[in-house]
């Protein structure tokens, strides 16, 4: 069983359609590594993706490359599930490819009933995108805040609320970029919006940077609008630590950065009260498919139904991962192979 696997890897560089503006600056090119495992006995192969984001606490691309370069070209199953915790993006890439090879039925699970959250561009561009995402069927949209002038962002938010239909909800994501005062002001504004239109702002994500954990707890106790933590819990060890310290709010899981999703599944089984929201790390369809499959399997068993954050197709010129949801197993294999071949 999976004792003899051929291991191959290919680094990729994938430019965004428009540079992505976050609190950490402009992001022009998504870089990562695709891997392919082939069962030497059967000839069947499956893909995986290592998509690190170092400013999210994962290993760097160079560290991931070094790890791949030192592996033998022929490996055993033990390698796939024994990757050190310091390399969480590698853990995800190898584990998910290994599971797909081991359990093709799990890989083919039906994900057609899931709800997704669409990602809006920062600033005023959100206003032109929002209507089109709503028309595409999205009922939850996420928008980055703390990127532009506050007054300007408040105006955009007010316009979004005014123009979007009542059944469209918003997630605001500050990527840890607000000051304490700004966080209070944003939360007060969110409470005001939600007072008039309950649940309109689903949550404010990571208002302060992860090293302000005490202040984040205080904020969560002072406002009605929920706070979701993302950067604070990028890896599973951090998520466990925070949950065990008494955090009862929402936790964002980016499977591609978390580490072992098998270990997350165990932890979730022990703690059904966990309120998790799953989200993309802007992977290619290879990593996205594994991430969505995990999200589809774990999210329904968590405390609260929440849309999955993979509505990011418009950020790249090609390969919207959500097209995989409507694809047959054969069509999906073709697309995943196309992604692999493209970087050959
Ligand atoms: Mg976030």
């Amino acid at each position: 069983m999976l004792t003899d696997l051929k291991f191959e890897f290919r680094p990729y560089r994938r430019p965004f359609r428009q540079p992505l503006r976050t609190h950490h600056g402009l992001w022009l090119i998504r870089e990562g590594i695709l891997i392919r495992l082939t069962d030497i006995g059967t000839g069947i192969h499956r893909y995986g993706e290592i998509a690190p984001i170092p400013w999210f606490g994962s290993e760097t691309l160079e560290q991931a490359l070094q790890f791949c370069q030192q592996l033998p070209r022929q490996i055993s199953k033990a390698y796939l599930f024994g990757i050190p915790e310091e390399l969480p993006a590698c853990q995800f890439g190898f584990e998910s490819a290994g599971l797909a090879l081991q359990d093709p039925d799990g890989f083919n699970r039906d994900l057609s009933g899931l709800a997704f959250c669409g990602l809006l561009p920062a600033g005023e561009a959100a206003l032109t995108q929002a209507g089109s995402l709503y028309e595409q069927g999205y009922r939850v949209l996420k928008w980055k805040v703390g990127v532009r002038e506050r007054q300007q962002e408040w105006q955009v938010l007010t316009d979004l609320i005014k123009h979007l239909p009542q059944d469209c909800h918003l997630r605001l994501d500050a990527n840890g970029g607000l000051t304490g005062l700004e966080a209070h002001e944003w939360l007060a504004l969110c409470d005001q919006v939600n007072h008039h239109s309950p649940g309109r702002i689903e949550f404010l994500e990571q208002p302060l940077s992860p090293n302000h954990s005490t202040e984040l707890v205080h904020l969560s106790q002072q406002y009605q609008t929920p706070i979701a933590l993302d950067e604070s819990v990028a890896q599973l060890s951090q998520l466990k630590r925070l949950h065990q310290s008494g955090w009862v709010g929402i936790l964002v899981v980016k499977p591609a950065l978390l580490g072992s999703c098998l270990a997350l599944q165990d932890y979730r089984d022990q703690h059904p009260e966990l309120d998790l929201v799953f989200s993309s790390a802007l992977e290619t369809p290879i990593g996205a498919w594994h991430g969505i499959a995990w999200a589809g399997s774990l999210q329904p068993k968590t405390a609260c139904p929440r849309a999955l954050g993979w509505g990011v197709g418009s950020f790249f010129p090609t390969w919207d991962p959500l097209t995989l949801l409507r694809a047959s197993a054969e069509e999906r294999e073709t697309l995943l192979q196309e992604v692999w071949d493209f970087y050959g």
Side-chain angles (χ1 to χ4, degrees):
M1 282 261 297
L2 292 188
T3 45
D4 290 307
L5 301 172
K6 184 178 163 202
F7 164 61
E8 300 161 276
F9 67 97
R10 289 178 176 177
Y12 70 81
R13 288 169 59 81
R14 195 179 180 212
F16 291 103
R17 195 195 291 269
Q18 303 277 340
L20 197 62
R21 186 176 289 280
T22 75
H23 171 64
H24 299 274
L26 277 186
W27 194 9
L28 282 78
I29 299 174
R30 201 339 163 191
E31 292 180 277
I33 304 167
L34 304 178
I35 64 175
R36 181 163 80 169
L37 302 174
T38 307
D39 184 322
I40 291 168
T42 63
I44 292 172
H45 51 243
R46 289 286 179 259
Y47 303 98
E49 179 170 345
I50 301 167
I53 306 182
W55 48 265
F56 242 94
S58 82
E59 68 271 49
T60 62
L61 180 67
E62 291 68 31
Q63 288 168 323
L65 267 175
Q66 272 171 18
F67 182 76
C68 290
Q69 280 156 353
Q70 56 81 40
L71 279 183
R73 294 297 85 108
Q74 195 169 325
I75 59 176
S76 71
K77 179 185 170 185
Y79 274 104
L80 307 179
F81 302 100
I83 294 175
E85 264 186 36
E86 300 76 55
L87 301 171
C90 289
Q91 272 187 317
F92 171 79
F94 282 88
E95 182 185 273
S96 50
L99 288 173
L101 204 51
Q102 192 170 270
D103 175 20
D105 290 339
F107 195 62
N108 286 327
R109 81 170 57 93
D110 177 17
L111 300 172
S112 54
L114 299 171
F116 288 88
C117 167
L119 182 58
L120 292 167
E124 278 188 344
L127 291 169
T128 41
Q129 271 287 314
S132 108
L133 288 174
Y134 184 86
E135 273 165 35
Q136 287 169 43
Y138 290 101
R139 292 298 174 265
V140 186
L141 299 176
K142 175 157 149 176
W143 187 52
K144 301 276 182 189
V145 301
V147 180
R148 304 279 165 86
E149 275 288 296
R150 196 197 48 186
Q151 281 308 327
Q152 189 195 347
E153 290 187 337
W154 282 29
Q155 188 56 50
V156 174
L157 179 65
T158 310
D159 290 346
L160 280 171
I161 301 283
K162 202 176 346 165
H163 295 301
L164 280 169
Q166 286 284 337
D167 64 342
C168 189
H169 303 268
L170 290 169
R171 296 173 175 176
L172 305 183
D173 187 0
N175 285 116
L178 304 181
T179 64
L181 178 64
E182 288 168 339
H184 279 285
E185 288 172 341
W186 272 105
L187 283 162
L189 181 70
C190 292
D191 275 7
Q192 212 179 315
V193 171
N194 284 340
H195 178 73
H196 294 291
S197 182
R200 204 68 199 284
I201 312 269
E202 187 185 3
F203 53 73
L204 174 64
E205 195 169 313
Q206 198 76 45
L208 307 175
S209 68
N211 51 359
H212 291 89
S213 47
T214 315
E215 292 91 330
L216 284 163
V217 172
H218 286 156
L219 280 175
S220 74
Q221 292 160 346
Q222 288 173 64
Y223 296 92
Q224 301 293 314
T225 306
I227 291 179
L229 295 182
D230 186 4
E231 281 87 342
S232 291
V233 295
Q235 277 77 59
L236 182 60
S237 55
Q238 296 168 309
L239 185 147
K240 287 181 177 173
R241 213 177 310 130
L242 199 89
H243 175 243
Q244 285 156 10
S245 77
W247 175 264
V248 293
I250 303 161
L251 299 167
V252 179
V253 170
K254 288 179 163 62
L257 302 176
L258 176 91
S260 166
C261 287
L262 284 172
L264 173 67
Q265 177 173 255
D266 284 347
Y267 194 69
R268 195 283 328 270
D269 287 347
Q270 294 158 33
H271 301 283
E273 75 281 8
L274 281 172
D275 188 349
L276 303 179
V277 49
F278 290 83
S279 179
S280 154
L282 299 166
E283 318 88 357
T284 76
I286 290 178
W289 177 253
H290 290 300
I292 293 169
W294 270 115
S297 151
L298 296 178
Q299 169 34 251
K301 295 165 198 154
T302 60
C304 211
R306 298 196 185 274
L308 312 183
W310 269 273
V312 293
S314 64
F315 283 76
F316 294 101
T318 50
W319 303 329
D320 182 344
L322 295 190
T323 58
L324 291 169
L325 297 171
R326 297 181 293 273
S328 66
E330 204 174 309
E331 289 166 338
R332 189 182 62 233
E333 274 315 297
T334 306
L335 175 64
L336 299 185
Q337 189 180 332
E338 185 187 316
V339 175
W340 171 259
D341 290 345
F342 185 81
Y343 296 105

